[in-house]
Amino acid sequence: MDSAIRPDYMNQGVFQRNRLPPRAYSLPTQTVSLSGRWKFSFASSPLEPDPASDDTDAWSLIDVPGHWQLQGWGHPHYTNINFPFPCHPPFVPSENPTGTYETIFAVPQEWGGVDGGLNYRLRFEGVDSAYHFWVNGVEIGYNQGSRNAAEFDVDKVLRYGEGQVNTLRVKVYQWSDGSYIEDQDMWWLSGIFRDVYLLAFPKKGRVEDFFVRTTLNDCFQNAVLEVDLSYKVQSVSNAKLKLIDSNGQTTVPNHTYELRPGSHTSHCAMKVTSPRLWTAEQPHLYCLYISISSDGQDLQEIVQQVGFREVQIKDGLLHVNGVPISIRGVNRHDHHPRFGRAVPLDFTRRDLILMKQHNVNALRTSHYPNDPRLVQMANELGLYVMDEADLECHGTGIDAASVPSDKPSWKDAYVARMQQLVHRDKNNPCVIMWSLGNEAFYGQNHQAMYEWSKLYDQTRPVHYENDHRFFASDICSYMYTGVSDLMKLATEDGEKYVKPVLLQEYAHAMGNGPGGLKEYMDTFRRYRRLQGGFVWEWANHGLLKKRNDGSGESFYAYGGDFGDEPNDKNFVMDGLCDSEHNPGPGLIELKAAYAPLIIRKKGKGIYVQNLYDFDNLVDVEGLYSITRFLPDGITHNLSSGRQNLHHARPGEESTFGEFDGKTWSMDFDQPETWLTVSVQRRNPSKWAEAGYEIARADFRLDNSSSPTHLPLVKRLQDPKVQTNGRDLRLSTPACTLKFDQITGEINQWSHKGINMIDGCAPRLTFWRAPTDNDKGGQAGDWQGHRLNAMMYSVRSVAHHVNELGAFEIKVESYVAPAIFAWGFNTTTTYTIHSDGKLLIHIQAIPTGPVPGTLPRVGLEMTLPKNQSHAEWFGLGPGQTYRDMKQAGQIGVWKQTVEDMTHMYEMPQESGNRTETRWVKVTDERGIGLRAILRRNNNVNSRSSTSGGTVEQPLSPLENWSFVDGDIEQSTDRTGFDFALSKYTAADLDQAQHPYELKGGDGLVFRIDDDHHGLGSASCGPDVLDQHQLKTREFDFTVSLEPVGI
């Protein structure tokens, strides 16, 4: 079809009609929001007849802003890359859902008194994906570019005066040629999703656009404030510039100058002495008042936030105010679980406050301009922003001939999107770089975008990752690069590099994870060229949907839940926060990894290293506590207090204090004496109260190598052993144990008449419900080796009373899957003591072509459902894994089973606690089990000289000098893992949503020798080698001891 006769929404050469030039975001005094309840008519195609305004049967009501798919018309559709329609740019399906909106409005009567009259405009902040509109039956214009604002002059058609009303009709097309360059890994949602405004500007004189820039002198002490005005005045007028600081004081003398009649530009430069500079750490803001007057009459006033800061690429690094900065960032989409991309302002502000509270200092507006007020909030709160154009054409890559990025016919559309972004947000200090878009390959159109940006705005670098030779990028940007490859990038050019390295996306936070954040941060800090990156991504994109079972309950839906085909399922659930934007374990871990302070122990001294770029620790203070943890769970607080931190410049260390027993007149040699150091904010801020914790660390003070012992073992008293076919029954005055000699398992164990287990007996297992990151990593190999379907073949069973007087059952087994010729030769020894304690010793030796790694290894059992209370000594309070434990804190923790499991919106493995010393699982009365695990090559047992007793160690954790450090993966590791859940791994694996989980009659209790890490292989590197659970020989003992009886 010839482009001249194609409709606008299928013509890449027509992306606007009558749209006014883009300008800096500022709403005039005369502004009325037209948002609210509008009339709405839905059609399957733009070719269907338009509804008549007075045809009541043709109209319903709809909320503006909003998406029609979330209000009863059509349905949301999720794809990551692929288009939900044939890929044939610029054409879209003839069945192109179309929504016609209509509302009426009146011009406020008080506006009529403005001398000289007003010029009226309509402003649309965001409409997906394209639209024509009419005012009072007159067609005004057309626009596409969903996340870009558009303004139109409606002066000639507007009715104003008493009793006059105006009719606004907007016809919105779900698909347009613009859809091909808006393929941004999110829900396809349509409609008027941002605010609509009626604006009025004085005809006698107004500012059409303005550009505020700050330049600093070579020592970054004094500044020049430059203001460029594009204006239109009817007669000689005056412009006045007034700069006010945060205390309301005038900073420099007001500057007034003359404006000549007509449409012109002006330039003004104001010298400012010793301004307080803006950074993300110290977001000092000024207010610039720009006013226009004529003949003594004030015509217009604009108020603009000003931050004095300078951004440059210097010596191959990104500098702010002359200092190379570290980006501790996240990627953020506009999302709300009920409103989609029609995000309420307070919800957005909450996002930004949470970022600040979790040590995030930068955000990327992936992959389009967010609400224009977001950057204003970032100015105020202190966040660097990579501001990204509304551009991605990932799905066109299915056919190289379809990619528009190198086609001249698309050039104007590409450049226009960049222009709209830059003009809208150019006056915001938080915006430290522009981005040309995301995953749109590379072509001449990107080069044109880059060249226009550099010509118009020389104050900021430009970023684009898909240009792998970085012709159109001032940053060497990468995605999902692993740590080892990152090190190569940091060093491959030696010291002669001219551009820094930044990860625009890394640590894919889908489901349980991301693991390995510590190693990323260590690498960023080790190599000068690496300036950090943006974790993908901030929050899940789940949309609330009613269940189909008549319950009236809702759940968070992802791809496919709305009958949307094709779809990419739950790939849209990949955030640090859940779909309500509440912090998840990933964000808690990120706060610890991103902490701008490192607390270290050197000898007896504690030191705090300042990793801020600008702050000198004036506004922080240190708190400490010294605690002794006793084996029975009792904690003794030996001392606590505040410690002043000496001011330390960025990169320097501040001495926190010396901690040794002589200085403190305490016996630090008693086992499990721990120091906790917390660094907190001294004063309140806009994002946190005074006392908000920035960083913390735990250190073991005692040097004791003597183990903590289990209670002494006593000989069995009056044991009764009965065998009856497959059953072996042991009875003592304290306990009863029933053992199945065919399965080689305990099928009943009670102590003083109370069942200790319920259903599934303690069994060696290796499986966990695959996480999203497992599915992108090792899960395929695990399932291929059938680790989720291991079979247990008993070779022999023997029992006797050992030399210590305890009853032993020894089981030789082969644990292996069907089909294959690999498995584990296992020896399981059950030892029953007279006090009811049960020891289970596991030796497992792999044989045959084994898998390279295992999900986990340990004992799994079912406990009575009422044993829902856990208490443990180790890392807590939240879940921890071997490569995701920076947020773990040493302590004795208590939680119920509901709190133990983090329920991801796609069910999967969760709730593990690592580096555990002991754990108790009981009912609310305290009746239940106490469990510990030791590795038997660590056994330091000795024979007792009295009554045939023996002492056995718990898990002394001698190598646990401080929790922030690495715990090596070896048999020397002394902590163990455990989990308590309502759900089996099979339950979690089979469920697609949390509401599908029903749970069983008991609780699943795992005590694990080791666990595989998490990594971020859902879209990125697999688990680091040092955090993988390699298949090897295992030898450990679990002690299960009845308590509270």
Side-chain angles (χ1 to χ4, degrees):
M1 183 187 298
D2 186 271
S3 62
I5 61 173
R6 290 203 302 263
D8 290 347
Y9 56 83
M10 283 199 294
N11 188 343
Q12 71 272 32
V14 179
F15 45 86
Q16 62 88 13
R17 291 188 187 275
N18 300 325
R19 187 177 70 198
L20 294 173
R23 63 179 181 88
Y25 179 75
S26 174
L27 300 181
T29 303
Q30 286 84 14
T31 297
V32 170
S33 172
L34 302 186
S35 300
R37 297 281 276 177
W38 291 33
K39 291 163 60 178
F40 181 74
S41 179
F42 184 74
S44 63
S45 170
L47 304 179
E48 292 189 22
D50 292 336
S53 295
D54 58 357
D55 183 359
T56 56
D57 292 336
W59 297 97
S60 300
L61 294 177
I62 196 169
D63 288 328
V64 172
H67 299 283
W68 69 59
Q69 290 92 342
L70 300 180
Q71 300 186 63
W73 293 274
H75 59 74
H77 197 140
Y78 170 63
T79 60
N80 169 22
I81 298 172
N82 299 319
F83 295 107
F85 51 81
C87 182
H88 187 201
F91 301 101
V92 297
S94 55
E95 290 194 19
N96 181 4
T98 300
T100 301
Y101 294 76
E102 192 169 282
T103 190
I104 59 172
F105 64 93
V107 176
Q109 288 190 30
E110 59 269 24
W111 292 5
V114 175
D115 186 30
L118 296 169
N119 171 256
Y120 294 96
R121 300 179 187 178
L122 282 174
R123 180 180 178 92
F124 298 85
E125 294 289 3
V127 182
D128 195 322
S129 93
Y131 58 99
H132 288 92
F133 78 100
W134 298 257
V135 175
N136 298 328
V138 178
E139 183 173 343
I140 302 299
Y142 170 79
N143 187 63
Q144 63 189 55
S146 299
R147 268 69 66 179
N148 290 314
E151 282 185 4
F152 298 86
D153 190 322
V154 293
D155 206 44
K156 294 181 180 180
V157 299
L158 213 61
R159 301 168 185 156
Y160 41 88
E162 186 174 356
Q164 295 291 318
V165 295
N166 298 275
T167 300
L168 168 61
R169 175 176 286 207
V170 187
K171 189 173 184 178
V172 181
Y173 315 108
Q174 179 162 338
W175 310 122
S176 70
D177 56 270
S179 302
Y180 285 102
I181 52 176
E182 294 180 357
D183 182 24
Q184 289 131 324
D185 183 14
M186 58 188 182
W187 293 100
W188 296 95
L189 295 169
S190 313
I192 306 173
F193 68 95
R194 289 185 184 162
D195 287 308
V196 182
Y197 296 106
L198 173 67
L199 313 178
F201 297 86
K203 288 184 177 180
K204 290 182 67 174
R206 60 182 179 269
V207 173
E208 296 284 10
D209 194 16
F210 62 104
F211 193 0
V212 178
R213 299 181 301 282
T214 61
T215 56
L216 308 178
N217 66 2
D218 291 343
C219 52
F220 300 96
Q221 291 182 344
N222 299 322
V224 175
L225 175 65
E226 296 182 78
V227 181
D228 292 340
L229 297 183
S230 297
Y231 64 88
K232 184 175 184 179
V233 295
Q234 293 178 346
S235 59
V236 174
S237 303
N238 291 314
K240 183 171 75 172
L241 306 180
K242 180 170 66 174
L243 188 67
I244 302 296
D245 66 17
S246 58
N247 296 316
Q249 301 299 309
T250 301
T251 304
V252 294
N254 297 341
H255 192 86
T256 302
Y257 55 97
E258 188 175 279
L259 305 178
R260 56 197 174 98
S263 297
H264 303 285
T265 60
S266 67
H267 175 80
C268 178
M270 305 167 64
K271 292 183 179 180
V272 183
T273 303
S274 302
R276 302 183 75 184
L277 303 185
W278 187 96
T279 68
E281 296 166 17
Q282 301 164 353
H284 299 301
L285 286 176
Y286 294 74
C287 278
L288 175 65
Y289 293 81
I290 305 171
S291 56
I292 303 294
S293 62
S294 179
D295 299 328
Q297 178 189 8
D298 292 333
L299 300 177
Q300 183 184 18
E301 183 176 70
I302 297 170
V303 182
Q304 174 62 45
Q305 296 169 324
V306 172
F308 286 90
R309 66 102 181 91
E310 187 168 301
V311 183
Q312 58 188 159
I313 302 290
K314 179 182 177 183
D315 299 327
L317 295 176
L318 175 66
H319 289 67
V320 171
N321 301 340
V323 176
I325 63 170
S326 299
I327 296 293
R328 302 188 302 275
V330 295
N331 284 274
R332 180 190 177 276
H333 267 285
D334 275 339
H335 163 268
H336 188 279
R338 284 166 289 282
F339 308 133
R341 285 186 290 280
V343 184
L345 191 61
D346 59 349
F347 199 78
T348 299
R349 185 176 181 85
R350 177 174 173 265
D351 273 356
L352 271 56
I353 288 174
L354 280 173
M355 290 176 192
K356 291 289 291 185
Q357 291 175 345
H358 289 83
N359 292 325
V360 171
N361 73 349
L363 70 95
R364 175 182 175 222
T365 64
S366 49
H367 303 291
Y368 44 81
N370 293 169
D371 186 297
R373 294 165 293 185
L374 177 142
V375 289
Q376 295 177 339
M377 290 186 281
N379 293 338
E380 172 196 353
L381 295 171
L383 286 162
Y384 299 122
V385 174
M386 177 194 283
D387 214 357
E388 190 151 279
D390 189 7
L391 181 67
E392 180 173 340
C393 61
H394 204 171
T396 63
I398 198 168
D399 173 22
S402 298
V403 177
S405 297
D406 204 39
K407 295 182 182 298
S409 62
W410 289 78
K411 174 184 172 182
D412 290 347
Y414 272 57
V415 174
R417 287 172 182 253
M418 195 65 190
Q419 292 171 335
Q420 288 176 287
L421 165 72
V422 172
H423 280 297
R424 195 195 77 169
D425 292 345
K426 60 194 173 188
N427 295 324
N428 293 279
C430 69
V431 179
I432 61 168
M433 70 182 86
W434 306 113
S435 177
L436 303 183
N438 183 67
E439 293 180 324
F441 309 99
Y442 172 72
Q444 59 181 300
N445 297 336
H446 289 108
Q447 201 63 40
M449 296 169 75
Y450 175 82
E451 291 171 1
W452 178 87
S453 300
K454 300 298 288 186
L455 181 65
Y456 181 77
D457 180 13
Q458 292 94 39
T459 69
R460 295 177 176 95
V462 175
H463 161 276
Y464 184 58
E465 182 271 336
N466 253 196
D467 172 14
H468 301 305
R469 293 182 293 177
F470 307 112
F471 294 140
S473 180
D474 301 315
I475 311 287
C476 297
S477 179
Y478 300 89
M479 297 171 64
Y480 305 111
T481 306
V483 168
S484 60
D485 289 334
L486 198 55
M487 293 178 184
K488 294 176 184 176
L489 291 172
T491 58
E492 63 184 3
D493 294 327
E495 295 299 318
K496 297 181 179 180
Y497 55 87
V498 295
K499 296 180 180 181
V501 170
L502 196 65
L503 295 185
Q504 75 163 17
E505 297 174 21
Y506 78 106
H508 198 254
M510 186 174 179
N512 195 350
L517 286 173
K518 178 183 185 296
E519 287 74 15
Y520 270 115
M521 295 308 298
D522 288 347
T523 306
F524 292 150
R525 290 163 178 163
R526 186 176 302 129
Y527 296 97
R528 178 176 178 270
R529 191 180 185 184
L530 305 180
Q531 291 196 259
F534 300 85
V535 168
W536 187 267
E537 67 172 309
W538 175 246
N540 289 354
H541 294 216
L543 296 175
L544 272 176
K545 181 180 185 294
K546 292 287 186 183
R547 287 159 49 176
N548 296 324
D549 56 8
S551 66
E553 299 293 324
S554 298
F555 69 100
Y556 297 101
Y558 48 74
D561 285 331
F562 295 95
D564 45 319
E565 293 290 342
N567 67 78
D568 286 296
K569 206 176 178 183
N570 67 315
F571 203 69
V572 76
M573 309 293 250
D574 51 4
L576 296 161
C577 300
D578 64 21
S579 292
E580 292 286 348
H581 294 217
N582 297 313
L587 185 57
I588 304 302
E589 179 74 1
L590 188 75
K591 178 185 178 181
Y594 271 8
L597 305 170
I598 292 183
I599 307 169
R600 291 191 174 97
K601 182 173 183 283
K602 300 178 183 178
K604 299 294 184 180
I606 302 296
Y607 302 87
V608 178
Q609 184 181 8
N610 180 6
L611 295 182
Y612 283 111
D613 296 319
F614 299 94
D615 278 356
N616 59 7
L617 306 189
V618 172
D619 194 36
V620 299
E621 62 180 348
L623 282 74
Y624 73 89
S625 63
I626 302 173
T627 306
R628 182 165 298 142
F629 298 96
L630 302 183
D632 57 5
I634 295 175
T635 61
H636 287 171
N637 190 336
L638 304 180
S639 180
S640 62
R642 298 179 182 273
Q643 199 84 341
N644 288 327
L645 289 174
H646 300 291
H647 298 171
R649 290 179 296 183
E652 294 182 347
E653 282 188 342
S654 174
T655 302
F656 186 84
E658 296 284 328
F659 288 84
D660 64 84
K662 293 181 181 179
T663 303
W664 290 79
S665 300
M666 293 183 192
D667 184 4
F668 285 170
D669 288 331
Q670 290 296 314
E672 309 302 352
T673 302
W674 287 80
L675 167 69
T676 296
V677 176
S678 172
V679 180
Q680 303 177 358
R681 292 189 60 84
R682 190 187 304 273
N683 298 305
S685 69
K686 292 182 178 180
W687 54 268
E689 298 293 332
Y692 192 83
E693 184 174 88
I694 301 166
R696 66 172 287 145
D698 300 302
F699 304 93
R700 189 171 180 176
L701 295 177
D702 64 278
N703 294 318
S704 174
S705 60
S706 56
T708 305
H709 301 293
L710 286 170
L712 296 178
V713 176
K714 298 180 180 179
R715 293 178 177 272
L716 286 171
Q717 301 295 320
D718 301 321
K720 295 180 181 179
V721 180
Q722 297 175 312
T723 58
N724 180 16
R726 65 188 295 170
D727 291 337
L728 171 65
R729 184 181 182 89
L730 171 70
S731 300
T732 73
C735 75
T736 300
L737 184 142
K738 187 177 178 182
F739 189 85
D740 190 319
Q741 297 186 86
I742 293 178
T743 63
E745 296 176 344
I746 297 171
N747 55 24
Q748 182 185 347
W749 175 35
S750 63
H751 185 75
K752 296 183 179 179
I754 296 176
N755 286 333
M756 296 290 102
I757 58 175
D758 186 8
C760 182
R763 168 183 277 195
L764 176 67
T765 59
F766 304 92
W767 188 244
R768 72 183 185 196
T771 67
D772 289 313
N773 288 310
D774 288 340
K775 293 171 186 176
Q778 299 291 315
D781 185 58
W782 296 340
Q783 289 168 329
H785 280 85
R786 296 179 60 84
L787 276 159
N788 57 332
M790 300 292 274
M791 303 175 70
Y792 299 78
S793 301
V794 175
R795 301 291 190 246
S796 67
V797 176
H799 58 85
H800 69 288
V801 176
N802 67 18
E803 69 277 8
L804 301 176
F807 188 77
E808 277 188 3
I809 305 172
K810 187 174 183 179
V811 182
E812 304 281 353
S813 297
Y814 183 59
V815 181
I819 303 174
F820 300 115
W822 77 271
F824 285 91
N825 288 316
T826 66
T827 301
T828 306
T829 304
Y830 301 89
T831 305
I832 302 94
H833 299 159
S834 63
D835 57 3
K837 187 187 303 100
L838 173 64
L839 298 184
I840 304 175
H841 175 205
I842 300 287
Q843 289 178 296
I845 301 172
T847 180
V850 299
T853 62
L854 303 171
R856 45 167 287 277
V857 58
L859 286 184
E860 185 173 344
M861 67 196 77
T862 304
L863 302 181
K865 204 165 189 176
N866 64 343
Q867 291 186 11
S868 59
H869 297 256
E871 178 183 0
W872 73 97
F873 174 39
L875 293 185
Q879 66 180 38
T880 49
Y881 290 80
R882 64 188 301 161
D883 62 350
M884 187 183 168
K885 59 184 177 184
Q886 297 307 295
Q889 304 171 15
I890 185 68
V892 174
W893 307 101
K894 295 181 180 180
Q895 289 184 349
T896 64
V897 66
E898 287 80 8
D899 299 323
M900 290 293 298
T901 302
H902 180 81
M903 186 50 63
Y904 291 94
E905 289 160 351
M906 164 64 88
Q908 56 196 274
E909 157 69 29
S910 72
N912 188 70
R913 303 300 192 275
T914 194
E915 306 306 336
T916 307
R917 179 64 175 272
W918 53 258
V919 57
K920 289 194 291 188
V921 181
T922 67
D923 62 19
E924 60 185 9
R925 300 169 297 170
I927 296 173
L929 289 175
R930 184 177 191 268
I932 61 173
L933 179 148
R934 73 163 190 271
R935 293 166 186 84
N936 291 307
N937 59 336
N938 279 342
V939 171
N940 186 22
S941 59
R942 58 182 177 84
S943 298
S944 172
T945 57
S946 60
T949 59
V950 64
E951 295 179 329
Q952 297 173 299
L954 273 167
S955 300
L957 302 178
E958 285 96 3
N959 64 334
W960 208 10
S961 58
F962 64 102
V963 171
D964 191 50
D966 291 319
I967 306 296
E968 295 182 0
Q969 183 228 334
S970 71
T971 52
D972 294 330
R973 177 174 165 265
T974 47
F976 64 90
D977 294 70
F978 86 94
L980 181 68
S981 175
K982 295 179 179 180
Y983 312 110
T984 66
D987 292 336
L988 293 167
D989 199 8
Q990 292 167 10
Q992 300 299 295
H993 302 92
Y995 75 85
E996 298 169 20
L997 291 164
K998 306 303 180 187
D1001 295 330
L1003 300 179
V1004 179
F1005 182 40
R1006 290 189 330 221
I1007 313 160
D1008 289 341
D1009 178 22
D1010 214 342
H1011 243 267
H1012 193 72
L1014 297 172
S1016 57
S1018 54
C1019 185
D1022 203 352
V1023 176
L1024 291 170
D1025 186 74
Q1026 65 266 33
H1027 296 308
Q1028 295 184 11
L1029 175 53
K1030 302 294 179 63
T1031 303
R1032 55 177 171 82
E1033 181 177 345
F1034 300 97
D1035 190 337
F1036 60 90
T1037 298
V1038 172
S1039 169
L1040 300 175
E1041 179 182 0
V1043 294
I1045 304 176

